[in-house]
């Protein structure tokens, strides 16, 4: 969908509700902007560590077992 928006005197635009729903953003969400030629691209930013949860499981395996193994090394 394509829709026009007007730039305010404070250089602000309003993001239409349909676009917010499509991106999964809400009031207060952080977004990233980047320019590609004559286009301005708006992207949702995932802030914090929640999106990274479990990403190192393949490296370290089960966290509880990994910590127990480290503790075992310290006791030796």
């Amino acid at each position: 969908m394509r829709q026009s928006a007007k730039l305010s005197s404070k250089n602000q635009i309003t993001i239409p509700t349909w676009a917010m729903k499509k991106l999964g953003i809400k009031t207060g969400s952080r977004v990233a902007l980047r320019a590609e030629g004559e286009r301005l691209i708006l992207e949702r930013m995932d802030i914090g560590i929640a999106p990274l949860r479990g990403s190192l499981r393949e490296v370290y395996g089960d966290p509880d077992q990994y910590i127990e193994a480290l503790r075992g090394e310290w006791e030796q």
Side-chain angles (χ1 to χ4, degrees):
M1 179 182 276
R2 194 173 196 175
Q3 183 177 345
S4 67
K6 184 178 179 182
L7 194 63
S8 75
S9 61
K10 294 182 179 183
N11 298 325
Q12 298 171 332
I13 63 168
T14 299
I15 302 170
T17 302
W18 67 265
M20 292 178 67
K21 287 179 181 177
K22 185 168 178 94
L23 287 176
I25 59 175
K26 57 186 176 186
T27 302
S29 294
R30 302 284 300 179
V31 295
L33 299 170
R34 62 184 164 90
E36 283 188 5
E38 294 292 316
R39 294 175 180 237
L40 183 62
I41 311 295
L42 180 124
E43 300 171 319
R44 181 183 73 215
M45 288 182 64
D46 292 319
I47 302 296
I49 63 169
L52 301 175
R53 178 169 286 152
S55 64
L56 296 177
R57 188 168 297 276
E58 293 176 13
V59 176
Y60 295 106
D62 179 52
D64 293 328
Q65 291 176 356
Y66 179 74
I67 291 171
E68 286 302 317
L70 285 177
R71 287 182 180 152
E73 291 176 11
W74 295 336
E75 292 174 358
Q76 292 178 2

